[in-house]
Every structure is written in C-alpha cells, then in structure tokens.
Amino acid sequence: MEKFFILSLTAFLSFCFLGQAQTDKLYLKDEIKEVQVEEVGSNFIKFKYPNEKASYTISKHQVNKIIFASGREEVYESPFKPVNSVTDYEMVYLSYNPQEVEGLRPIGQVFSKATGVTTLSSINNVNNRAVRKVKMEAAMLGANVVLIGNTFQRGNQYGNENIPGNATMTSLSGTAYNTNPSNYDLDEIRGFLENYQYVIFKKDQFNRNAFDKKSTLNQMYDQKLNVKLFDFDDVFEKDGFLYVRTKGLKSKTNELRVLYANEENITLMEQHKNSTYNYFLLSEKEPRVIQMTAIKERKTK
C-alpha cells in the first residue's frame, strides 16, 4: 500500500511539473504573462491562461517577445512608439487592420479633412496634410495609435463655364488608442496636484477645420511680477485617468484630463465641439517659477 502511494504521488508531481513546463511566456512592456499560446498570426497572438478554456487575443505589436515552453524565443519590434506631447505627432501609428489594435483601450475619435487650394493642387500633398492633421489630433488626445475606419478621396475635378471645378480632397476618420493606460503614477501625481500651485505656460488649440494647430504663450506674471499661480479645486479619477477642475484656468468645460505629468510639469486636455485643447502648466517646483518667485522676493525687500 505504501509503495502504491509513493508511485501515485510521483505520478501526480510529474504531471504537475509537466503542466508547468508547458507554459509559454508573453513579455509585454510592463508585465510577463504565463500562458499557453494557441496561434501566432501576422498581427495577433491568440492564447489561453493555464487551466482555463477561454481564449484571448492580443495585438502582436504589444508583445516584446515570446519564450515558448520548448525554450524557443521569438522577438518582435513594435511600431507603437511613445508619444509624450503634440510635438511627437509624427510618431503616431496609423493602422488599417483591426487586429493590430486588439486589446487596446480607445480614448477618443479623430477626424481630418484636407482640401487643395486650387484644382491644380497635388493629391499627394493633400493626402499628407490629412494624415498630418489626424496624427496631430491623436497626439493631443494622448494617443499613439489610430485605427482608420473611413477614408474618402476625391481627385481634381475640372469645371467649365457651366460647372465649377473642385479641388482634390482627402478625409480620414478613426479611433485613437494609447498603448499605455496612463503616462503617470495616479497616486503620486494626485499628491502633486492637490498640494502644489500651478501657472499656465502655453495653450495649444487644434480645430478640425483649421490648417494647423494654434499655439498661445501665456504671460506667467502680472505687472507687479507676481507669478499667476493657482490651485486645483478638484482632483478626481475617471476611467483610469486623473481629471481636474479649477477656476484659475479659463477652459471650455472646466473638466480637464491629465495627459502627462511629473513634479514640475503637467499637460491637460479637453475637447469642445470641433476643437481639442492642450494646456501646458508649470508647478511651483519648476526652476523658472522658482526663479521668478525669487526675483519678486528680492525686489520687495
């Protein structure tokens, strides 16, 4: 009986060991998933968690590499690049394949339209302008990936004495995604927002009907050299993002989403009608603000 028990225990342990040995590893940006890979497609990876029947799909672009249970390794280079501000708009990746955005979280809709100035305008130039505009709006939303859902293109249409001509036109629309749920630590940044004062440095506005974004630098101090610092009236979390409200900032909705933040800088975003706004703020800990405050103190002594 004892011999039978030992043999049964050995068989059970061997089974457990073999089950663990068959686990594949998906290396993502911020975590490692131990799974059983079922299929590796051209744009996606299908897998199951151990001892579960449900299948999941993830974009291959979100996976750095797979180490299979056999020991074989596959490494992937993702076209998804970090976008930290509107100046990085060229890094926004445009996709036309829904499988490439499997598992990504949508954060908004984007649209752009570009029209030639005359009927002699280049189709390529107009297309490039439409692409530039849709990438710029996505970057201002905090996105680095756009799945294009609809495209429309019209070539130059020459008119005559009875029918007016039409210049070439391209329109693009789609869904914007961010491969990172957030670009900051929520608890850490909440502490800064609740305890520090801020001053607006610059505002960017992008209207879908405009040729380009409009940037406005803000005067950060008054005539007496007092820095125009203000507090946030409310800091709250919604859908995994931080939002703020303040009377110290002239905005359209007074509900601004935090895009990027650290101890010294913060970028806020809001949408209103056909426009997207980015507000770039400096905290009281930012070197330029500290310097302006010190100058004021010296002059008052």
Side-chain angles (χ1 to χ4, degrees):
M1 184 69 182
E2 183 178 352
K3 185 176 181 180
F4 175 77
F5 174 76
I6 294 174
L7 290 173
S8 299
L9 180 61
T10 303
F12 174 75
L13 293 175
S14 298
F15 175 78
C16 292
F17 175 77
L18 290 173
Q20 292 177 353
Q22 293 176 353
T23 300
D24 306 309
K25 291 184 178 181
L26 291 180
Y27 284 76
L28 310 182
K29 180 180 180 181
D30 299 318
E31 64 175 319
I32 301 174
K33 292 181 180 289
E34 295 196 6
V35 301
Q36 293 173 334
V37 174
E38 296 181 289
E39 182 181 355
V40 179
S42 57
N43 298 300
F44 68 93
I45 296 169
K46 189 176 181 181
F47 65 91
K48 289 182 178 180
Y49 289 103
N51 303 317
E52 294 185 9
K53 295 182 179 180
S55 294
Y56 299 87
T57 301
I58 188 172
S59 169
K60 186 186 287 187
H61 299 328
Q62 298 181 66
V63 179
N64 293 330
K65 67 178 179 180
I66 304 176
I67 297 183
F68 294 94
S70 64
R72 185 171 65 86
E73 183 176 316
E74 283 190 10
V75 179
Y76 309 106
E77 183 177 355
S78 174
F80 298 162
K81 306 300 181 184
V83 174
N84 296 315
S85 72
V86 66
T87 58
D88 299 328
Y89 75 89
E90 292 182 347
M91 305 299 290
V92 173
Y93 178 76
L94 299 188
S95 172
Y96 295 84
N97 187 342
Q99 288 182 333
E100 290 190 316
V101 298
E102 285 280 357
L104 296 183
R105 179 181 173 186
I107 60 173
Q109 300 298 311
V110 291
F111 173 82
S112 74
K113 182 174 72 173
T115 305
V117 178
T118 70
T119 54
L120 299 177
S121 299
S122 166
I123 292 178
N124 288 336
N125 288 341
V126 172
N127 289 346
N128 291 339
R129 184 147 45 89
V131 168
R132 176 177 176 273
K133 290 175 65 176
V134 82
K135 286 186 174 185
M136 190 171 291
E137 183 178 11
M140 291 183 68
L141 288 176
N144 63 335
V145 182
V146 174
L147 175 64
I148 299 298
N150 295 292
T151 63
F152 175 79
Q153 185 181 72
R154 181 187 69 206
N156 286 314
Q157 298 174 343
Y158 299 98
N160 53 43
E161 59 183 4
N162 298 316
I163 302 175
N166 291 310
T168 183
M169 186 266 283
T170 296
S171 67
L172 302 171
S173 63
T175 304
Y177 298 83
N178 190 347
T179 56
N180 300 316
S182 179
N183 292 289
Y184 47 83
D185 181 274
L186 270 67
D187 292 334
E188 179 185 34
I189 298 304
R190 178 190 287 273
F192 296 151
L193 299 179
E194 291 177 341
N195 294 289
Y196 291 172
Q197 290 188 310
Y198 291 83
V199 60
I200 181 170
F201 171 67
K202 186 180 72 164
K203 179 181 78 172
D204 282 347
Q205 176 185 356
F206 181 77
N207 187 290
R208 290 176 173 176
N209 298 318
F211 192 87
D212 202 347
K213 69 178 177 67
K214 178 182 178 181
S215 297
T216 305
L217 290 175
N218 187 66
Q219 185 71 21
M220 293 191 291
Y221 50 87
D222 60 22
Q223 294 181 345
K224 296 182 179 180
L225 298 182
N226 296 305
V227 182
K228 299 177 182 179
L229 292 167
F230 60 84
D231 299 293
F232 290 115
D233 303 315
D234 189 19
V235 180
F236 59 99
E237 185 178 343
K238 184 172 69 173
D239 300 327
F241 293 99
L242 282 179
Y243 285 77
V244 297
R245 296 188 181 98
T246 178
K247 298 182 181 67
L249 180 66
K250 292 182 179 179
S251 63
K252 301 295 182 181
T253 64
N254 198 29
E255 187 171 296
L256 305 154
R257 177 157 66 86
V258 180
L259 287 189
Y260 315 100
N262 55 39
E263 187 176 14
E264 297 179 356
N265 305 277
I266 181 174
T267 303
L268 305 176
M269 185 277 298
E270 70 172 342
Q271 287 182 293
H272 182 68
K273 296 183 178 179
N274 288 327
S275 292
T276 303
Y277 299 85
N278 280 176
Y279 301 89
F280 302 90
L281 278 58
L282 307 180
S283 83
E284 62 185 59
K285 301 297 183 181
E286 206 274 340
R288 283 169 290 184
V289 177
I290 293 175
Q291 184 179 26
M292 286 189 291
T293 304
I295 292 174
K296 169 61 178 179
E297 291 177 351
R298 286 199 300 268
K299 286 185 175 293
T300 55
K301 289 182 180 180

